[in-house]
Amino acid sequence: MRLVIAECQVDYVGRLTAHLPMAKRLLLIKSDGSVSVHADDRAYKPLNWMSPPCWMTEAPVPDGVDAEAYWVVTNKTGEELRITIASIEHDSAHEFGVDPGLVKDGVEAHLQELLAEHVDTLGTGHTLIRREYMTAIGPVDLLCRDAEGATVAVEIKRRGEIDGVEQLTRYLELLNRDPILAPVSGVFAAQQIKPQARTLAEDRGIRCLVLDYDELRGAESTEFRLF
């Protein structure tokens, strides 16, 4: 991974356009080719990024532009992330090696396995595309199709909290950039979903689904029931 702290301007040119005026930012260039631009806030979420497959070139600085460097990151559809660098404060490269990936706790991993086996729990006509569908920022628990053939991304938690909704939101932002998959809707599935998480999810158009672990296992609940 290459870490660059630079005074820079960033312009995204493609289906949409976005402009970040000149300011000091952190640029992450990963071994998979992805490039993301970060400010000193917003926690984990970049200001802008380009997901792989993409390629970065150091192009000539455009005429009339006072800059030290000009980087152009291009993806397979021809969209560009243009980074104009006025000055570089830090530039270093680090070898991370192979990452073992996220290890979920036993119940959460089993929920994913069970929901994949009983994908119709999501709704009639749903089919599974893949478990652990990899994105540039991590794997989506389940990638499915609904009865109409639209793509559905499912994030599974034992307890649904706001950070899980934020995680699914990031996945959806990336997946919806892929013209083959888009439009992609989201389902936030958990054994318990906190009210604040449900409110945030529904505000973002994400459907919430409460999972019954015993029902998915095919076992009767030991809790007393009125009906």
Side-chain angles (χ1 to χ4, degrees):
M1 181 184 293
R2 184 179 176 188
L3 307 177
V4 178
I5 298 175
E7 191 81 17
C8 62
Q9 171 184 301
V10 182
D11 293 280
Y12 190 93
V13 180
R15 289 173 295 173
L16 302 173
T17 59
H19 172 73
L20 294 172
M22 192 68 69
K24 186 181 293 184
R25 299 186 178 92
L26 169 65
L27 309 175
L28 297 184
I29 301 98
K30 296 187 178 181
S31 59
D32 63 2
S34 63
V35 177
S36 56
V37 182
H38 297 261
D40 193 18
D41 62 3
R42 297 163 60 94
Y44 42 76
K45 188 174 181 180
L47 296 167
N48 213 326
W49 67 91
M50 187 71 82
S51 303
C54 60
W55 303 267
M56 187 178 82
T57 58
E58 297 197 20
V61 177
D63 292 339
V65 175
D66 184 15
E68 183 177 314
Y70 185 67
W71 298 352
V72 179
V73 188
T74 308
N75 66 12
K76 61 183 180 181
T77 62
E79 295 176 308
E80 292 183 344
L81 194 66
R82 302 172 183 174
I83 306 174
T84 304
I85 298 176
S87 62
I88 294 177
E89 190 171 298
H90 175 87
D91 189 346
S92 63
H94 308 268
E95 184 63 48
F96 279 33
V98 178
D99 191 272
L102 178 67
V103 179
K104 296 177 178 288
D105 67 50
V107 173
E108 200 168 291
H110 197 206
L111 278 170
Q112 182 193 118
E113 179 183 339
L114 289 169
L115 193 54
E117 291 176 1
H118 304 285
V119 71
D120 57 341
T121 303
L122 298 172
T124 303
H126 280 67
T127 57
L128 178 67
I129 298 175
R130 185 174 175 180
R131 287 178 58 189
E132 299 286 338
Y133 184 88
M134 186 56 65
T135 75
I137 58 173
V140 177
D141 287 330
L142 300 180
L143 195 68
C144 306
R145 292 200 188 281
D146 64 18
E148 285 72 45
T151 311
V152 181
V154 185
E155 182 63 25
I156 302 169
K157 299 293 184 186
R158 181 171 57 180
R159 173 179 290 183
E161 300 185 4
I162 284 178
D163 59 350
V165 178
E166 294 285 7
Q167 182 180 359
L168 179 54
T169 300
R170 298 195 303 276
Y171 289 147
L172 290 171
E173 287 178 353
L174 285 177
L175 293 170
N176 274 301
R177 290 188 176 199
D178 188 332
I180 296 175
L181 297 176
V184 185
S185 61
V187 174
F188 187 52
Q191 287 181 278
Q192 299 176 342
I193 300 178
K194 289 193 171 182
Q196 300 94 326
R198 180 181 292 276
T199 299
L200 180 62
E202 292 175 350
D203 182 67
R204 295 181 176 180
I206 295 170
R207 180 161 64 95
C208 291
L209 177 65
V210 176
L211 300 174
D212 186 320
Y213 183 64
D214 288 331
E215 185 177 303
L216 285 171
R217 289 192 309 174
E220 286 293 326
S221 173
T222 57
E223 294 181 357
F224 292 108
R225 299 193 182 194
L226 293 176
F227 304 94

